[in-house]
Amino acid sequence: MTSLGFRTDLALLKRAGSTIEDRGDHIVVLSPDNPSFYWGNFLLLDHVPGADRVEEWLERFETALPDADHRAFGFDVTQATVDDLSAFAERGLEVEVSTVMTASRVHPPARPNREAIYRAFASESDWSQSVDLQISCHGSDESVGHREFVTRRGASNRALVAGGHGQWFGAFIDDVLVAQMGLVSAEPGLARFQSVETHPDHRGRGLAGTLAHYVGGYGFDELGAQTLVLVADPDYLAIRIYRAIGFTDGESQLQVERGPNPR
């Protein structure tokens, strides 16, 4: 597989119980335990199709995932651009380009946050707060369906921890979870960050960088990782935080999605 981002995505999805079916020119990913999770139920193409074949791929998605109310495609390439996906955008799909970052070592941020306590999740309260934090970080959708989606994602994360594949960590202030992230072994020597989130009211205080440095140490010392992988929005200020502790930009990860509710 060409894309390091999708290579680690698929490894973690498989560990969490998703099915990965290789059909030659594309892979079908299914997560029956969370059907509303777009990036647990998608097609990964080994190329970016021409504009004349986009409609065909939309039909193939419907055939592969007939019960899905969304459409989601990833592309196992590293050199394509947003313009190459314009035909998908014209059909109402949102184009996302992320930066895949790697680090072989991490160092503390220039101004670490010493107000919070940094530790692994250790209780039902920690996991419950994780759900609330994710909802706070991703818009105001407080619908029952959205909370169910986030709760199922949390259950998947817990299964990864229970299986010995990694751990979830938080920054806590007065026992309140204000930032979180997971780190999971994708394959020998390679570990992938997940769910990197800081509560909107606590951003800009050095929490994410301090926690990422703490978690990185776990990855090298406990998971035996030689390389840490993190996928970030290239246009969001948090990417500077990761660069500041030792991560470097690598490839781009391209995907498109469309659905009745944002994910």
Side-chain angles (χ1 to χ4, degrees), residues 32-229:
D33 290 341
N34 199 354
S36 63
F37 176 30
Y38 295 175
W39 296 107
N41 300 275
F42 69 100
L43 300 190
L44 177 62
L45 282 59
D46 67 2
H47 64 290
V48 175
D52 60 336
R53 296 196 62 201
V54 170
E55 205 61 47
E56 173 193 339
W57 279 105
L58 289 169
E59 293 173 0
R60 293 176 75 171
F61 184 100
E62 185 173 353
T63 299
L65 292 86
D67 297 325
D69 61 1
H70 70 279
R71 300 293 180 265
F73 298 89
F75 306 94
D76 184 25
V77 299
T78 58
Q79 301 300 321
T81 67
V82 172
D83 290 342
D84 293 322
L85 301 175
S86 59
F88 284 94
E90 291 169 1
R91 287 163 175 79
L93 282 83
E94 181 180 352
V95 178
E96 295 184 7
V97 180
S98 301
T99 298
V100 180
M101 312 181 77
T102 59
S104 57
R105 59 182 296 273
V106 290
H107 50 78
R111 290 185 292 276
N113 180 292
R114 305 189 189 283
E115 179 186 7
I117 293 174
Y118 304 89
R119 60 170 176 81
F121 283 11
S123 69
E124 288 292 332
S125 174
D126 294 345
W127 288 104
S128 177
Q129 288 191 73
S130 175
V131 171
D132 294 335
L133 176 58
Q134 185 171 346
I135 290 174
S136 296
C137 289
H138 297 282
S140 58
D141 185 354
E142 283 285 354
S143 67
V144 173
H146 182 61
R147 178 166 285 273
E148 180 181 3
F149 158 74
V150 176
T151 300
R152 288 185 177 187
R153 283 288 287 150
S156 177
N157 295 339
R158 293 187 73 169
L160 289 170
V161 173
H165 302 301
Q167 186 60 270
W168 250 252
F169 298 84
F172 296 83
I173 298 177
D174 296 328
D175 293 325
V176 176
L177 180 67
V178 295
Q180 67 177 340
M181 60 188 66
L183 187 64
V184 181
S185 175
E187 59 186 61
L190 196 65
R192 169 74 183 266
F193 276 85
Q194 293 280 278
S195 306
V196 181
E197 295 157 334
T198 302
H199 193 283
D201 293 343
H202 293 271
R203 291 172 184 168
R205 297 164 62 177
L207 290 162
T210 307
L211 181 58
H213 171 251
Y214 178 86
V215 174
Y218 161 82
F220 293 125
D221 298 338
E222 301 297 328
L223 293 182
Q226 298 172 341
T227 303
L228 305 179
V229 181

